């Protein structure tokens, strides 16, 4: 049988309306509480006044007495006289206590709900000119730290972070890692960066820059593409601030750049990390110099507008600044031309790319007066000797490392690869490929953490030892654990022999760098840290995007630490301007130097004053930006190698041809 619903009574309708009203908000509940309180307090107070024998005679005076009695409702039993009056006073006091306690509970509940909403990080960030970071990974601390340094120049700098994590946990982790932020506020919000509604909480349309961080998951690249598409859906394809993102796999690079649009810059972390490892293996000490070049402390890359440089040759421009080192030109179409020929003239609309402490470099009073041609070294330098490298471990970046070594080392160089049994088949297949005549590679299987096997290797006969950790998804323990054990074994061999061993190790977690047992000639490369620094620099100065594309992606050996004896005679006093002039004669741009230290290499001094004079020893090194390495193609194989980087759309096409037609050669590998 069909059951008929009985009609709702007036009582049920009134109760439903009352419940619905209370469920709206805390303010509605407070309003009803006030109404109920007045509905009881005012009539009882009126009755108290009208029953008082000494009550005023006039109506206005009695109403005033009613108001005073209502305001004194907390006086429990404060009225004396007839029993009825005392009872009414007690009732009034109890009603007041009930109303006050209910009011406190409502206010506490409302504040708790508001604090819970703030803890979930769902409120909108109403800022302008702030920096937005989307996503969370180990490198977010590096990125946010650089953005805080960039925002410190503002009166009210703000860095907003959005990730699918608890906002209070993110804020606590950032403040613990960064410490004092110098007045810059770090705002964290919870939500998926791929959700346009969550993105709107950070008001990205009013931001100065947006950075998209790849996560530590396997599908990090796909998530980055989704975030870029969400930004496009929220802001449009052409509008919005500059966007800087990073992907891990080169296969997703084109799709990510299409999703980012014309205002986006997408970097690749795997190839950049591999290139840094190779450059560090060829030039010990380059890791610290690169970190100093990319952070916002001290000297770094700047793009300078210099109208007076139009028509001047690059050789003249390189010596006209007191403490800035020009390294190239930024052409009007956005392409970067690094290490142009000394006779290349600065054209209309060209901007200078310099390494300097600030964006307004100081002019030199008499540039040519500090150059002493009599102490310059002869131009016909002796070519470097073949080198021997030892690669310990294997991961997804190992093929890129071996390929880059095969294309940049001196002919006749040797690469010995030692891996564990699990990765031995992959390493054997790659090592068996031809190296184009430059590099001879061999492979053997061994336990990297056993001291007796390490003692069987001729460790001190290698130019550098490269240590790679396993991929995170390939092991159940931390990817840096095996690397730390290998470094501990190498450090033990180093202390036993009493000789420094050049080691460059790859780490996945920035916190592992403080734990790594590194020797005096060792360095640690944190995976994706360089990419994070580049992302922060591009977000601060988008014009540097093409520079970093040239420096870390399209060229080989762009940065190098060369012996000072290539430029000046050893044991002679000379100014840094003399070193700059000598480097220009070899097609290079000198941007700093590292003084020789007996026990531990010193830090690289970037952009010193041209007038600075010192006695140059045979152990001193000069940091230079060198021309690109010539391409190497194996006989019978015209296909590009896996690690070869091609010119990317919108970054750089053909180089401008200078007036000097003689090509310059890069620095030799010693």
């Amino acid at each position: 049988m069909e059951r008929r619903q009985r009609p709702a009574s007036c009582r049920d309708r009134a109760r439903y309306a009352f419940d619905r009203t209370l469920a709206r908000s805390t303010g509605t509940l407070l309003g009803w509480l006030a109404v109920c309180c007045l509905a009881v307090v005012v009539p009882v107070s009126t009755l108290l006044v009208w029953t008082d024998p000494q009550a005023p005679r006039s109506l206005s005076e009695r109403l005033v007495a009613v108001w005073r009695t209502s305001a004194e409702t907390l006086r429990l039993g404060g009225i004396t006289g007839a029993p009825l009056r005392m009872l009414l006073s007690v009732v009034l006091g109890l009603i007041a206590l009930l109303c006050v306690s209910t009011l406190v509970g409502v206010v506490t509940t409302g504040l708790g709900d508001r604090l819970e909403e703030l803890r979930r990080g769902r409120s909108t960030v109403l800022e302008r000119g702030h920096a937005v970071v989307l996503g969370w990974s180990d490198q977010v601390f590096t990125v946010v730290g650089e953005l805080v340094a960039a925002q410190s120049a503002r009166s009210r700098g703000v860095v907003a972070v959005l990730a699918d994590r608890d906002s209070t946990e993110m804020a606590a982790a950032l403040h613990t890692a960064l410490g004092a932020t110098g007045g810059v506020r770090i705002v964290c919000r919870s939500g998926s960066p791929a959700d346009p509604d969550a993105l709107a909480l950070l008001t990205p349309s009013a931001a100065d820059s947006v950075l998209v961080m790849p996560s530590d998951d396997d599908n990090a690249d796909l998530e980055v593409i989704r975030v870029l598409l969400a930004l496009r859906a929220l802001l449009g394809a052409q509008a919005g601030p500059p966007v800087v993102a990073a992907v891990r796999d080169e296969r997703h690079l084109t799709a990510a750049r299409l999703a980012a649009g014309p205002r986006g810059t997408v970097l690749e972390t795997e190839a950049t990390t591999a290139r840094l490892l190779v450059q560090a293996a060829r030039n010990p000490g380059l890791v610290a110099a690169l970190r100093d070049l990319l952070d916002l402390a001290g000297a770094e890359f700047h793009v300078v507008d210099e109208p007076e440089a139009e028509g001047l040759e690059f050789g003249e421009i390189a010596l006209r600044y007191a403490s800035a080192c020009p390294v190239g030109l930024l052409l009007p179409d956005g392409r970067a031309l690094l290490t142009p020929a000394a006779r290349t003239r600065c054209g209309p609309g060209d901007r200078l790319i310099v390494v300097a402490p600030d964006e307004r470099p100081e002019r030199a009073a008499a540039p040519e007066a500090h150059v002493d041609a009599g102490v310059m070294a002869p131009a016909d330098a002796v070519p470097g000797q073949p080198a021997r490298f030892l690669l310990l471990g294997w991961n997804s970046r190992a093929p890129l490392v071996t390929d880059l070594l095969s294309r940049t080392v001196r002919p006749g160089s040797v690469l010995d690869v030692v891996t564990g049994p699990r990765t031995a088949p992959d390493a054997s297949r790659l090592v068996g490929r031809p190296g184009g005549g430059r590099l001879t590679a061999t492979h053997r299987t061994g336990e990297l953490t056993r001291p007796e096997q390490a003692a069987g290797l001729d460790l001190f006969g290698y130019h550098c030892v490269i240590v790679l950790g396993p991929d995170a998804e390939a092991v159940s323990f931390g990817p840096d654990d095996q690397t730390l054990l290998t470094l501990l074994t190498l450090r033990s061999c180093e202390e036993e022999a009493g000789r420094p061993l050049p080691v460059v190790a790859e780490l996945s977690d920035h916190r592992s760098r403080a734990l790594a047992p590194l020797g005096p000639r060792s360095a640690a490369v944190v995976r994706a840290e360089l990419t994070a620094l580049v992302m922060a620099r591009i977000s601060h100065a988008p014009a540097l995007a093409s520079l970093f594309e040239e420096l870390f992606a399209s060229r080989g050996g762009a940065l190098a630490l060369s012996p000072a004896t290539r430029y000046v005679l050893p044991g002679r006093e000379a100014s840094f301007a003399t070193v700059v002039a000598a480097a220009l004669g070899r097609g290079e741009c000198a941007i700093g130097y590292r003084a020789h230290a007996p026990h531990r290499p010193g830090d690289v001094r970037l952009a010193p004053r041209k007038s600075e004079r010192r006695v140059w020893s045979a152990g001193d090194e000069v940091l230079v930006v060198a021309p690109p390495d010539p391409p190497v193609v194996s006989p019978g194989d015209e296909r590009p190698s896996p690690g070869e980087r091609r010119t990317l759309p919108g970054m750089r096409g053909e180089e401008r041809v200078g007036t000097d037609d003689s090509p310059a050669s890069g620095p030799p590998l010693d």
Side-chain angles (χ1 to χ4, degrees):
M1 294 179 59
E2 182 180 358
R3 178 175 298 180
R4 298 182 59 184
Q5 183 178 1
R6 66 179 181 86
S9 63
C10 295
R11 180 182 178 183
D12 294 337
R13 292 181 181 273
R15 186 170 185 176
Y16 172 72
F18 181 74
D19 293 343
R20 186 178 58 183
T21 304
L22 292 182
R24 288 180 181 176
S25 64
T26 304
T28 305
L29 185 59
L30 290 176
W32 274 109
L33 181 61
V35 170
C36 295
C37 180
L38 292 176
V40 175
V41 171
V42 173
V44 174
S45 299
T46 303
L47 186 59
L48 281 173
V49 171
W50 251 260
T51 57
D52 187 3
Q54 300 178 358
R57 298 296 180 181
S58 64
L59 178 62
S60 60
E61 292 179 348
R62 289 196 174 194
L63 292 178
V64 171
V66 169
W67 168 252
R68 291 175 178 175
T69 305
S70 300
E72 296 175 356
T73 55
L74 287 178
R75 293 188 308 156
L76 185 63
I79 296 179
T80 60
L84 178 60
R85 288 175 48 79
M86 297 178 61
L87 180 61
L88 292 176
S89 176
V90 171
V91 172
L92 191 60
L94 293 176
I95 292 297
L97 290 177
L98 178 63
C99 293
V100 170
S101 61
T102 306
L103 178 63
V104 172
V106 170
V107 172
T108 304
T109 303
L111 290 177
D113 293 342
R114 181 58 179 169
L115 292 176
E116 179 65 21
E117 181 181 354
L118 293 176
R119 192 191 68 83
R120 292 196 301 265
R122 300 300 299 175
S123 59
T124 304
V125 178
L126 299 179
E127 299 286 346
R128 301 192 64 85
H130 56 295
V132 173
V133 179
L134 303 177
W136 189 271
S137 68
D138 287 338
Q139 301 308 318
V140 72
F141 305 102
T142 302
V143 168
V144 174
E146 293 299 310
L147 293 178
V148 166
Q151 290 279 326
S152 60
R154 299 177 177 270
S155 58
R156 295 178 56 187
V158 175
V159 178
V161 182
L162 174 66
D164 200 4
R165 301 166 62 95
D166 186 84
S167 60
T168 55
E169 294 179 359
M170 291 190 293
L174 288 172
H175 285 292
T176 301
L178 303 179
T181 57
V184 179
R185 292 189 296 114
I186 300 177
V187 180
C188 298
R189 293 293 181 265
S190 297
S192 173
D195 183 7
D197 294 335
L199 283 177
L201 296 177
L202 270 60
T203 320
S205 58
D208 267 359
S209 59
V210 178
L211 291 86
V212 183
M213 302 294 300
S215 63
D216 299 325
D217 300 333
D218 296 337
N219 58 344
D221 291 353
L222 300 180
E223 183 67 19
V224 169
I225 295 175
R226 288 179 59 87
V227 174
L228 294 174
L229 291 175
L231 281 171
R232 176 190 288 260
L234 182 64
L235 304 177
Q238 304 293 333
V243 179
V244 185
V247 295
R248 293 181 176 178
D249 198 334
E250 185 183 4
R251 296 175 300 174
H252 302 132
L253 190 61
T254 303
R257 284 184 169 157
L258 291 175
R263 298 180 62 85
T265 302
V266 183
L267 308 176
E268 183 188 357
T269 61
E270 298 292 282
T272 306
T273 303
R275 186 172 298 279
L276 178 57
L277 284 169
V278 172
Q279 289 186 355
R282 295 180 57 186
N283 300 273
L286 195 61
V287 177
L290 276 174
R291 194 178 297 112
D292 293 340
L293 267 175
L294 294 176
D295 61 23
L296 292 175
E300 63 267 353
F301 288 106
H302 295 287
V303 177
V304 179
D305 292 316
E306 191 63 78
E308 298 180 5
E310 182 178 343
L312 298 180
E313 294 183 351
F314 184 76
E316 302 176 69
I317 299 174
L319 295 172
R320 65 181 292 152
Y321 296 103
S323 59
C325 301
V327 297
L329 302 172
L330 187 66
L331 307 184
D333 58 0
R335 294 179 297 143
L337 177 60
L338 294 183
T339 61
R343 296 175 56 188
T344 301
R345 296 189 178 274
C346 182
D350 290 349
R351 305 166 69 187
L352 296 181
I353 303 175
V354 302
V355 176
D358 51 53
E359 299 178 359
R360 295 182 178 86
E362 176 188 354
R363 298 278 188 87
E368 302 294 339
H370 302 296
V371 178
D372 187 0
V375 297
M376 291 186 183
D380 51 347
V382 179
Q385 301 297 320
R388 298 181 66 223
F389 298 94
L390 175 62
L391 179 62
L392 301 178
W394 196 264
N395 55 28
S396 59
R397 290 163 298 285
L400 297 174
V401 172
T402 56
D403 178 74
L404 288 170
L405 282 174
S406 66
R407 294 190 293 111
T408 56
V409 297
R410 292 288 180 184
S413 298
V414 175
L415 172 65
D416 294 331
V417 181
V418 179
T419 65
R422 179 180 299 180
T423 56
D426 296 335
S428 298
R429 284 193 299 268
L430 185 74
V431 168
R433 297 178 183 177
R438 282 181 176 245
L439 185 69
T440 301
T442 61
H443 173 257
R444 58 187 293 185
T445 303
E447 292 293 338
L448 309 179
T449 58
R450 299 180 62 179
E452 59 272 14
Q453 293 199 11
L457 302 172
D458 184 17
L459 294 176
F460 298 94
Y462 291 100
H463 178 79
C464 184
V465 179
I466 306 173
V467 181
L468 299 180
D471 293 319
E473 58 273 9
V475 293
S476 58
F477 48 86
D480 290 340
D481 293 347
Q482 182 171 327
T483 304
L484 294 176
L485 292 177
T486 304
L487 289 175
L488 194 61
T489 302
L490 295 177
R491 182 63 175 158
S492 175
C493 297
E494 190 176 21
E495 293 178 349
E496 183 177 350
R499 300 170 55 187
L501 180 65
V503 177
V504 55
E506 181 201 35
L507 299 174
S508 298
D509 192 345
H510 69 282
R511 293 169 294 185
S512 301
R513 180 160 46 194
L515 307 178
L518 300 175
R521 297 188 60 189
S522 302
V525 176
V526 180
R527 180 187 176 192
E529 182 186 43
L530 176 64
T531 307
L533 291 173
V534 172
M535 290 176 65
R537 292 292 290 125
I538 293 177
S539 68
H540 183 62
L544 294 175
S546 57
L547 162 68
F548 292 124
E549 182 71 20
E550 285 294 301
L551 206 59
F552 300 114
S554 300
R555 299 158 63 103
L559 284 169
L561 279 168
S562 300
T565 54
R566 295 190 68 236
Y567 311 101
V568 292
L569 298 175
R572 302 287 298 274
E573 185 183 49
S575 64
F576 187 70
T578 305
V579 177
V580 172
L584 285 173
R586 292 163 172 79
E588 304 167 1
C589 297
I591 60 176
Y593 69 89
R594 182 173 68 174
H596 173 68
H599 302 290
R600 185 177 182 87
D603 296 331
V604 174
R605 180 178 170 84
L606 294 173
R609 298 187 68 86
K610 299 290 196 310
S611 58
E612 179 181 324
R613 303 183 66 86
R614 63 186 307 273
V615 177
W616 298 88
S617 66
D620 295 338
E621 295 173 301
V622 178
L623 180 63
V624 298
V625 180
D629 292 338
V632 178
V633 181
S634 302
D637 187 8
E638 300 298 331
R639 296 173 299 176
S641 55
E644 184 179 353
R645 300 292 296 115
R646 297 165 293 281
T647 300
L648 300 171
M651 288 295 181
R652 181 178 177 181
E654 297 180 356
E655 285 191 3
R656 178 190 296 182
V657 180
T659 54
D660 188 359
D661 296 330
S662 59
S665 59
L669 175 63
D670 295 330

